[in-house]
Amino acid sequence: MAKIGIFDSGSGGLSVYREIHKLLPREQYVYVSDSAYCPYGGRTREEIEYRATVISEYLIGMGCELIVVACNTATAAAIAFLREKFPSVPFIGMEPAVKPAALATKTGVIGVLATAGTLKASKYLDTRDRFSDGIKVIEHVGQGFVELVENGILEGPEAESTVRESVAPLVESGADFIVLGCTHYPFLRPVIEKVAAELAPDREITVIDPAPAVARQLVNVMAQKNIPSSPEGEEGSIDLYASGDLESLRRIYKLI
Ligand code: DGL
């Protein structure tokens, strides 16, 4: 049975766990929400490297053999650092789905929603520049999205008006794909889709969440490293931890 650590600044990483659990339902998971330091979006690279190191040490101490950095901001800021610091532990990170959106767009415009930290990181900028030849990439911070999710506001007028502010510039620029570049945002996906449809009723707009691809990547890495998944009949488990408030994590966990 594999023991897998997952962490995020908050509850967002549960959108990744949800996809991982579909492929690997019988493993033991340890999830850490760094809620005392959430959000990561406006923090410096050094701060995020430090928090990611503390959490990784904790997960390794708990016996985790692999770690999923279920946070785009932490992946962009710290995954190279973590791989260097803990060379024997495989780290799986988030990758904004610019490539599939760029290949499939019909309007030639794709939108990316992410945190300020992700959008300015070279990891994201390199991916964008590699795949965006001949297309326009419009980026926007999902302003207030992390707070909505942490407060359990996943629908209704407040969620819709907050989401509209950040989605409107993408839709108004002609985007027909919206890439979710923050693991909190998939919990607002129904609202994002509703708002996008209201703003451009005649255009089909597809929202892409990279979490299923990250889950497949985890399965591949386990195979490469000869870490067996649990056989039929084993019971999977998840332990939830938080550096601060645990309530919002529990609340989102009940919804997935
Ligand atoms: N869930 C995070 C991400 O994927 C971080 C959000 C935040 O803490 O700002 O980027």
Side-chain angles (χ1 to χ4, degrees), residues 74-239:
T75 300
I79 202 161
F81 182 83
L82 292 172
R83 286 180 175 142
E84 205 168 304
K85 193 152 179 85
F86 306 103
S88 62
V89 180
F91 283 89
I92 293 93
M94 301 304 299
E95 192 75 55
V98 173
K99 184 181 174 185
L103 291 173
T105 177
K106 293 198 180 80
T107 60
V109 183
I110 68 169
V112 177
L113 290 171
T115 67
T118 296
L119 293 175
K120 67 169 195 260
S122 59
K123 192 165 192 325
Y124 165 72
L125 296 171
D126 291 349
T127 306
R128 182 198 66 187
D129 294 346
R130 195 145 36 102
F131 298 113
S132 61
D133 224 18
I135 62 148
K136 216 157 129 191
V137 181
I138 312 290
E139 293 145 356
H140 210 282
V141 172
Q143 210 74 56
F145 290 21
V146 171
E147 290 77 3
L148 285 174
V149 173
E150 291 298 320
N151 291 316
I153 305 165
L154 307 183
E155 57 183 11
E158 186 185 345
E160 286 176 27
S161 68
T162 302
V163 163
R164 191 170 292 110
E165 292 279 310
S166 298
V167 167
L170 309 180
V171 173
E172 281 157 12
S173 303
D176 60 349
F177 278 81
I178 296 178
V179 174
L180 303 183
C182 168
T183 57
H184 280 75
Y185 300 175
F187 291 115
L188 292 167
R189 184 181 188 144
V191 180
I192 295 169
E193 287 173 341
K194 178 172 188 251
V195 165
E198 281 166 10
L199 288 164
D202 299 328
R203 192 186 324 145
E204 196 185 320
I205 299 178
T206 306
V207 174
I208 308 191
D209 170 12
V214 172
R216 290 194 295 276
Q217 175 64 4
L218 171 62
V219 171
N220 293 339
V221 171
M222 284 172 68
Q224 277 161 23
K225 304 280 175 193
N226 292 317
I227 299 174
S229 56
S230 301
E232 293 274 344
E234 292 276 350
E235 186 96 13
S237 67
I238 181 165
D239 290 322

Side-chain angles (χ1 to χ4, degrees), residues 8-10 12-13 37-42 70-74 94 115 118 146 181-184:
D8 177 39
S9 63
Y37 294 84
C38 186
Y40 278 179
C71 174
N72 291 262
T73 313
M94 301 304 299
T115 67
T118 296
V146 171
C182 168
T183 57
H184 280 75

